[in-house]
Each structure stands twice: as C-alpha cells, then as structure tokens.
Amino acid sequence: MSDAEQEVPDGPVENAWALKVPEFLPEHNPHGVLETSTFATLFPKYREAYLREVWPLVQKVLEPYFIRAELDAVEGSMAVSTTRKTWDPYSIIKARDMVKLMARSVPYEQAIKVMKDDIGADIIKIGSLVRNKDRFVKRRQRLIGPNGSTLKAIELLTNCYVLVQGNTVAALGPYRGLQHVRQVVEDTMKNIHPIYNIKSLMIKRELSKNPQLKNESWERFLPKFKKKNTTKRKQPMKKREKKPYTPFPPAMPESKVDKELASGQYFMLEKQRRAAKKKDQREKMAQESAKRTEERNKVYVPPKEPKKKVEKKRDNDIDVDAIKAKVKKAQRKKRVAT
C-alpha cells in the first residue's frame, strides 16, 4: 500500500477542509484510460488573436498529462481530448475548465493554475439572476466597486482570481475560497451589498487565528444583514376615508337651470341677466384692486417701534444723587450759622 493511500482515513471526517488531498502520480494508473473524452467550447472573435499567440504554451502545459488541445479559428472553438497515454482521468476536467476560463477573457498565466490539484474554477452565471437590465448593470458595477476596489478586496480575502465579464463571473482559486466568492456574487445580485460579506470574511479570518474560539460558534461576532420576513405592506400616499355604506344612490348634481331657478335668474329678462352679470364682475374687480392696493401700500407702512421698558425702582435701591444733594444742603447751613 502506498503512502498516499495510507493518508486517507477510513471513517467519517470532521473537518474535510483540513484533509490533505493525496497527490495522483503516473505510477497509480500505468494502463491509462480506455475511452477518449473530448470537451469543446466556443470563444468570441476578439479573443482569437490572443489565443493564437498563447496556444503553443497551452499545448506545452497539457503535454505532461498527454492531453491533446486543438484550436479551430474557422468555427471559433477550442477542444481538449484524452489520448491512450493519459494517466490522470480528472486532468481532462481540469483542461476543460482551463479553456473555458480562457474563452471568458481570463489570461493564460492565471488559467493554467487550474491544473493544480488544490485549485479549482467556478463560472457563475449572473445574467438570469436580475430581470431588469439597468438594475443588473448597477449591481454588477457594485460588485466591481470604484476602480475595482471591491473586487480586489474579495480576491485578497478568498485567495481567488475573480473576473467579471458580461453575464458571467469567472473565479479561480482554492475550493474554500470559491464557495465564498459564489456567495458574495449571488448575494450582490440579490441586492445585498458586498461590504457585508467582506466584513464577515474579515471577522472570520481574525477569529480563525484565535485557538480559544476555534470550536465555538461565531454567529454572535458576524454582522446580520439578511432581511426578515416581517415586511410591511406599502401604504398609499393619499388615503381615502371609507364612507359609511348607504343603500341610496348619491344625489344628482344641480343643472344650470336648477341653479337659475334657485337664484331667481330664470325669471329675469336677458337685459337684466346681463346687468346682474356685469355687476358681479365689477364687484370682483373692485375686491381684487383693493387687495392689490393694500399689498402695494404694505411697503410704505412704518414698522411699529418696540416699547421701551421703564425700569421700576426697587425699595432696596439707593438714590446716590439725592444723598449728595442733602449733604451739600447741610454744609451750606453750617457755613451760614458760623
């Protein structure tokens, strides 16, 4: 039994993320694969020049795995397929992910990392998560952030390479980080700001360093941003008061003839009606002119002066002038007496 086989535990594993994935070597599968598997993907026209340039490097990367890579510029497709010498059955899946990432504008330097055992790829489709196009563009921009700062923060916290392109988000990195990236992207498209998830990841990162809190629940430390179901129904701006129910229909509005009968104009002559109408017009004009004159004259009305408050003398206050006058009077009397 090899060392790689001895590292795998027989029973259930408590923490699968802490388990080291055993390395798969050519000696483990000396006979290769029996059937040929092929995967192909289309790429846009603007990627053709770049793919032609880096395709010899792609073939060189896949050569140790004995995987054949073909670039068809006429159909605009990339294809990878196994051969009889392919010793790693899962390498074709890795190669498929690599060409998919390259078709979605991921550079060659990043895409080749997916061939490692501890690194995976995830292509998240966000086009169908939001129906409104304007809302979709705003939320996608929110995921990128000003000058790509939000996307850079997500990359630093998850150790993944993330690229937002069109209706998809391509992520490349460790499997634990890919889970966090998918959660952040889907929550952003559901109108939850990515800053909340970034804060949660920062707190988890600090808590994981503390050995005392390793086996405890971290719920009390994490920010709660999920909406509750206790949403209130939107109320109208103008509420109509419900009138009491009556079986009788509302009264018909008065016609012009009814109004004339009530005022007595119906029985007047045409000349008298005109005279009454002119009289009403003159009265209205006189009222309006009086209002205008009053508004004009408001400017010339002097403001009321505030009344000066006369301070009342208190009983305890001493009148210094009266005392001085008494002293002078007493001195004069003494001089006259002498």
Side-chain angles (χ1 to χ4, degrees):
M1 190 178 284
S2 64
D3 297 336
E5 290 174 352
Q6 287 175 359
E7 290 177 4
V8 180
D10 296 332
V13 181
E14 290 183 5
N15 187 8
W17 297 111
L19 186 67
K20 189 178 179 181
V21 179
E23 189 179 357
F24 192 78
L25 300 171
E27 300 90 61
H28 298 145
N29 187 17
H31 303 293
V33 292
L34 298 175
E35 292 291 332
T36 304
S37 301
T38 306
F39 292 101
T41 183
L42 299 172
F43 61 87
K45 186 71 177 174
Y46 63 85
R47 292 286 292 169
E48 184 180 340
Y50 177 78
L51 291 172
R52 278 179 180 274
E53 187 180 345
V54 300
W55 199 250
L57 299 171
V58 173
Q59 289 176 329
K60 193 175 181 181
V61 168
L62 297 176
E63 191 176 346
Y65 300 94
F66 296 100
I67 292 174
R68 187 170 57 252
E70 295 177 359
L71 177 68
D72 192 344
V74 178
E75 291 184 2
S77 66
M78 292 180 284
V80 286
S81 58
T82 58
T83 59
R84 290 298 301 271
K85 292 183 180 180
T86 304
W87 51 271
D88 188 358
Y90 197 69
S91 60
I92 187 64
I93 304 296
K94 294 275 190 180
R96 178 202 65 182
D97 291 342
M98 186 177 74
V99 294
K100 275 187 177 181
L101 290 169
M102 290 179 70
R104 281 168 173 77
S105 300
V106 175
Y108 159 78
E109 292 80 7
Q110 296 290 341
I112 59 171
K113 291 179 183 178
V114 81
M115 296 304 294
K116 295 178 183 177
D117 288 339
D118 57 341
I119 289 177
D122 190 10
I123 295 165
I124 308 155
K125 294 180 181 179
I126 58 173
S128 60
L129 296 176
V130 184
R131 290 184 180 181
N132 192 315
K133 192 176 180 182
D134 296 335
R135 206 173 289 168
F136 167 74
V137 172
K138 284 180 183 177
R139 291 180 188 177
R140 186 180 62 181
Q141 186 58 38
R142 192 185 296 167
L143 181 66
I144 297 166
N147 300 323
S149 57
T150 308
L151 205 64
K152 188 68 180 174
I154 294 166
E155 286 181 350
L156 290 170
L157 289 166
T158 59
N159 297 324
C160 293
Y161 175 82
V162 186
L163 179 71
V164 181
Q165 179 79 7
N167 293 333
T168 59
V169 177
L172 171 73
Y175 293 99
R176 187 69 178 272
L178 292 174
Q179 280 189 341
H180 295 314
V181 171
R182 179 171 276 276
Q183 186 184 355
V184 172
V185 171
E186 288 179 353
D187 285 349
T188 306
M189 289 294 122
K190 291 174 185 175
N191 203 22
I192 296 171
H193 204 280
I195 193 67
Y196 296 112
N197 279 305
I198 288 169
K199 280 184 180 178
S200 299
L201 290 171
M202 289 172 72
I203 293 164
K204 284 178 181 177
R205 191 160 135 187
E206 292 299 320
L207 290 170
S208 62
K209 295 176 184 176
N210 192 342
Q212 295 177 355
L213 299 170
K214 194 174 182 181
N215 299 321
E216 291 185 18
S217 178
W218 295 346
E219 287 296 323
R220 64 182 189 274
F221 301 109
L222 301 176
K224 295 176 182 177
F225 54 87
K226 291 186 177 178
K227 292 181 180 179
K228 295 180 181 178
N229 292 330
T230 58
T231 52
K232 291 183 179 178
R233 181 178 166 272
K234 288 182 179 179
Q235 300 293 333
M237 191 173 280
K238 292 180 181 179
K239 289 185 178 180
R240 293 181 182 178
E241 292 182 2
K242 211 170 186 182
K243 295 177 181 179
Y245 172 74
T246 52
F248 306 105
M252 291 289 289
E254 289 185 350
S255 63
K256 191 177 179 181
V257 177
D258 293 336
K259 289 176 183 177
E260 287 178 355
L261 285 168
S263 62
Q265 289 183 2
Y266 185 80
F267 304 102
M268 290 182 183
L269 298 170
E270 190 67 29
K271 195 183 282 185
Q272 290 173 334
R273 286 179 188 171
R274 285 176 189 170
K277 196 174 183 180
K278 283 182 180 179
K279 189 181 178 183
D280 293 339
Q281 286 176 351
R282 284 194 211 101
E283 286 176 359
K284 283 181 183 178
M285 285 173 69
Q287 288 175 2
E288 287 176 3
S289 62
K291 279 183 184 178
R292 283 196 291 270
T293 309
E294 192 179 343
E295 286 177 2
R296 284 197 214 101
N297 294 337
K298 276 182 184 178
V299 184
Y300 304 105
V301 175
K304 291 182 180 180
E305 294 182 0
K307 292 180 180 180
K308 292 181 179 179
K309 292 180 179 180
V310 180
E311 294 182 357
K312 293 181 180 180
K313 289 184 179 181
R314 297 176 183 175
D315 297 336
N316 299 332
D317 293 346
I318 300 167
D319 196 350
V320 179
D321 296 332
I323 292 167
K324 284 181 180 179
K326 282 182 182 181
V327 171
K328 284 180 180 179
K329 196 174 181 181
Q331 286 175 354
R332 282 175 196 164
K333 284 181 179 180
K334 282 181 182 181
R335 285 174 191 170
V336 172
T338 54

